[in-house]
Amino acid sequence: MSFSVGQVSRLAGVTVRTLHHYDEIGLLTPSERTRAGYRRYTDDDLLRLQQVLLYRELGFPLEEIAVILDEPHSDELTHLRRQHELLRIKSERIREMIAAVERAMEARAMNIRLTPEERFEVFGDFRPEDHDAEVERRWGDTRQYAESRRRVASYTKADWLHLKAEAATITEDLAAAFKAGLPADGQQAMDLAERHRGHISRWFYECSYEIHQCLGELYVTDPRFTATFDAIVPGLADYLRLAIHANATGR
Amino acid sequence: MSFSVGQVSRLAGVTVRTLHHYDEIGLLTPSERTRAGYRRYTDDDLLRLQQVLLYRELGFPLEEIAVILDEPHSDELTHLRRQHELLRIKSERIREMIAAVERAMEARAMNIRLTPEERFEVFGDFRPEDHDAEVERRWGDTRQYAESRRRVASYTKADWLHLKAEAATITEDLAAAFKAGLPADGQQAMDLAERHRGHISRWFYECSYEIHQCLGELYVTDPRFTATFDAIVPGLADYLRLAIHANATGR
DNA sequence: CGTTGACCCTCACGCGACGTGAGGGTGCAC
DNA sequence: GTGCACCCTCACGTCGCGTGAGGGTCAACG
């Protein structure tokens, strides 16, 4: 039982031209031809085609594929094992890219700018060792963070507008309180901190008082957060931190 | 703060030539140039480059990337959401390919040939609906099957030789018993069935008596299994099925 | 102050992996 | 016997860069 170019092309999801090309360059020469010169692909040819397509998917140049498939001491199993490993690595890379996109979305939600390094770390090809550690150091690889990413990724544009509007009014009210000279441990500032906590819980992750305090610290230690608040009124980041602290300990 | 071509190329993991090319075709034109004509990339340029690289990774042609990035009503969020979805799909595809490779390895372990359709289903581009159902129908999407794939994928070449040798002696002994006319429900045949069950448990998955009986049925219903056994001695598949049944019910 | 070395520039040709016809044979079905 | 679907072999085109050639720029070091 053998197959024509058209049948193989439909089966394998490649064009006839591609099969012709692979024949031309000697990568996959059909074992038989009919008297009329029609190519006929056997089962073994299909097996080889499968290997070719897998390696191609993995980004190998065709010439190199020809070499590794013709290595004398290699059999199907060798290739399947190698392909399995390489696919695993590729899958890992894609998952990292997904995480990077989610981080970018969250950064937008927070109104902070990513540094160029953050923006491109996923394209920097490979330094698999310290990478995870670095991400954890900067972002905190916590349960909260994972939950946040999941939720953020599913928001629609309308959700975003809603979220941003809510964040804006809280920040405005906070700025007004600050400018009015209300104490950060006063009732009004504490109420604003509580509204802020609710906002985080609703949109990002379950935010306990302890976590809220950590977040407050982050606002004055991470310059990107500090900048977003202090752009409204200088000193606002620290005012919010104090209000959060008062709200967490004072009830 | 802006960056030279060299700095951007190191940051983003692309060559300088690539940046030149993107400039030539108008995909990414740096916002500034120095008096000497040196390209200077701003933060916004880097943001655009990130989008370009993500869409490129997703297989979009550069011209199309230029179009969708210049759509009037699109902003970063639109793109991030689209990229997120497409990456999810791609990740899914890779996971399917990994599963397909694992199936191919297992098929080799079982000494059965995959049909051409099975070999290429993962390349057939897209028919996401019935696909999972089909895989389940043919392979059974059970816990046992998942375990088997996981274990099989991690075997070394030495493991395989060992496994195959063990399978071969069992099959040989079974063929000998069959040819000697020993009854399938006799003690010797039942012992062979028990050895077979142990073999499956050791190498593939925890094989209870019930599951072993299902496997026995499969050997006579799936023509590919039937063929492997009956190639040794015609009728061997059914003999094994009967021995398994006797071994399962008779103790 | 000159020069060295690391960058940067603009052409411009080359290449890998096919796409896309042109021009023509094959084969079964009605 | 004549469509119609399929197959063949050239052969040129395209996309996304790679790879020099030939030459300017600029901070640093002697």
Side-chain angles (χ1 to χ4, degrees), chain A residues 53-96:
Chain A
L53 294 183
L54 273 166
Y55 277 124
R56 185 184 71 165
E57 175 81 22
L58 287 164
F60 285 74
L62 299 186
E63 198 172 346
E64 200 168 329
I65 296 178
V67 171
I68 59 186
L69 286 184
D70 290 336
E71 275 169 2
H73 298 297
S74 72
D75 60 345
E76 193 194 349
L77 193 57
T78 320
H79 296 301
L80 288 173
R81 288 188 54 72
R82 180 154 28 172
Q83 286 156 352
H84 189 265
E85 175 61 10
L86 292 172
L87 280 170
R88 231 189 31 68
I89 292 171
K90 183 161 183 172
S91 165
E92 193 51 39
R93 249 201 87 216
I94 304 248
R95 278 190 27 226
E96 274 174 27

Side-chain angles (χ1 to χ4, degrees), chain B:
Chain B
M1 186 178 174
S2 62
F3 303 85
S4 72
V5 272
Q7 291 173 315
V8 174
S9 83
R10 259 162 287 157
L11 242 121
V14 300
T15 67
V16 170
R17 177 67 178 105
T18 300
L19 294 172
H20 285 176
H21 185 57
Y22 292 171
D23 191 0
E24 271 176 39
I25 64 174
L27 175 57
L28 176 64
T29 310
S31 310
E32 301 169 21
R33 291 247 186 171
T34 67
R35 283 162 256 80
Y38 286 20
R39 275 164 257 254
R40 300 257 88 193
Y41 292 85
T42 66
D43 263 17
D44 283 347
D45 294 336
L46 292 189
L47 171 56
R48 187 173 170 102
L49 178 57
Q50 185 197 19
Q51 310 283 10
V52 168
L53 294 183
L54 273 167
Y55 277 124
R56 185 184 71 166
E57 175 81 22
L58 287 164
F60 285 74
L62 299 185
E63 198 173 346
E64 198 168 332
I65 296 178
V67 172
I68 59 187
L69 286 184
D70 290 335
E71 275 169 2
H73 298 299
S74 73
D75 60 345
E76 193 194 348
L77 193 56
T78 320
H79 297 301
L80 287 174
R81 288 188 55 72
R82 177 153 31 172
Q83 287 156 352
H84 190 265
E85 176 61 9
L86 293 171
L87 280 170
R88 232 189 30 68
I89 292 171
K90 182 160 184 171
S91 167
E92 193 51 39
R93 249 201 87 216
I94 303 247
R95 278 189 28 225
E96 274 173 27
M97 296 189 70
I98 291 180
V101 169
E102 289 172 351
R103 276 201 296 276
M105 292 172 85
E106 214 191 21
R108 279 218 42 154
M110 303 286 205
N111 252 330
I112 61 177
R113 277 217 159 222
L114 292 171
T115 69
E117 288 77 13
E118 285 165 355
R119 217 180 263 301
F120 293 108
E121 63 190 352
V122 75
F123 295 111
D125 287 334
F126 53 159
R127 40 178 179 268
E129 351 70 54
D130 52 48
H131 176 260
D132 283 352
E134 180 58 15
V135 167
E136 182 170 351
R137 196 184 63 68
R138 272 214 310 281
W139 297 91
D141 195 8
T142 59
R143 209 169 35 70
Q144 285 80 18
Y145 178 50
E147 183 188 347
S148 171
R149 265 180 20 207
R150 255 202 316 283
R151 288 168 63 174
V152 158
S154 71
Y155 288 166
T156 68
K157 196 140 188 170
D159 290 331
W160 283 99
L161 291 174
H162 197 154
L163 182 172
K164 288 225 166 192
E166 193 176 300
T169 62
I170 295 177
T171 322
E172 273 170 39
D173 292 355
L174 197 69
F178 181 44
K179 283 194 275 194
L182 299 178
D185 56 356
Q187 191 56 48
Q188 299 207 33
M190 281 166 65
D191 286 351
L192 281 167
E194 185 59 21
R195 268 173 66 197
H196 180 263
R197 196 174 70 87
H199 173 74
I200 300 290
S201 288
R202 251 193 312 289
W203 293 102
F204 298 102
Y205 50 85
E206 193 55 41
C207 183
S208 69
Y209 290 107
E210 286 102 320
I211 291 175
H212 200 203
Q213 282 193 271
C214 295
L215 200 52
E217 294 300 325
L218 192 64
Y219 288 162
V220 297
T221 53
D222 187 323
R224 293 171 304 182
F225 283 112
T226 317
T228 18
F229 288 107
D230 286 11
I232 321 282
V233 193
L236 190 60
D238 199 50
Y239 184 71
L240 176 55
R241 181 184 69 87
L242 290 170
I244 287 173
H245 183 76
N247 183 55
T249 57
R251 34 186 85 216

Side-chain angles (χ1 to χ4, degrees), chain A residues 20-202:
Chain A
H20 285 177
H21 185 57
Y22 292 172
D23 191 0
E24 270 176 41
I25 64 173
L27 175 56
L28 176 64
T29 310
S31 311
E32 302 169 20
R33 291 247 187 170
T34 67
R35 282 162 258 80
Y38 286 19
R39 275 164 259 252
R40 299 257 88 192
Y41 292 84
T42 66
D43 263 17
D44 283 347
D45 295 336
L46 293 189
L47 171 56
R48 188 173 170 101
L49 178 57
Q50 184 196 20
Q51 311 282 11
V52 169
L53 294 183
L54 273 166
Y55 277 124
R56 185 184 71 165
E57 175 81 22
L58 287 164
F60 285 74
L62 299 186
E63 198 172 346
E64 200 168 329
I65 296 178
V67 171
I68 59 186
L69 286 184
D70 290 336
E71 275 169 2
H73 298 297
S74 72
D75 60 345
E76 193 194 349
L77 193 57
T78 320
H79 296 301
L80 288 173
R81 288 188 54 72
R82 180 154 28 172
Q83 286 156 352
H84 189 265
E85 175 61 10
L86 292 172
L87 280 170
R88 231 189 31 68
I89 292 171
K90 183 161 183 172
S91 165
E92 193 51 39
R93 249 201 87 216
I94 304 248
R95 278 190 27 226
E96 274 174 27
M97 295 188 70
I98 292 180
V101 169
E102 289 172 352
R103 275 201 295 277
M105 291 171 85
E106 213 190 23
R108 279 218 42 155
M110 302 286 205
N111 251 328
I112 61 178
R113 278 217 159 223
L114 292 172
T115 70
E117 287 78 12
E118 284 165 355
R119 217 179 262 302
F120 293 108
E121 62 190 352
V122 76
F123 295 111
D125 287 335
F126 54 156
R127 43 177 176 268
E129 351 70 55
D130 52 47
H131 176 258
D132 282 352
E134 181 58 16
V135 167
E136 183 170 350
R137 195 184 63 67
R138 273 215 308 282
W139 296 91
D141 196 7
T142 59
R143 207 169 34 69
Q144 285 81 18
Y145 179 48
E147 183 188 346
S148 170
R149 265 181 19 208
R150 256 201 317 284
R151 288 168 63 174
V152 158
S154 71
Y155 288 166
T156 67
K157 196 141 188 171
D159 290 333
W160 283 100
L161 291 175
H162 196 154
L163 182 171
K164 288 224 165 189
E166 192 176 302
T169 62
I170 293 177
T171 321
E172 272 170 41
D173 293 354
L174 197 69
F178 181 46
K179 281 193 276 194
L182 299 178
D185 57 356
Q187 192 55 48
Q188 299 207 34
M190 281 165 65
D191 286 351
L192 282 167
E194 185 60 20
R195 270 173 64 197
H196 179 263
R197 197 174 70 86
H199 173 74
I200 299 292
S201 288
R202 249 192 313 289

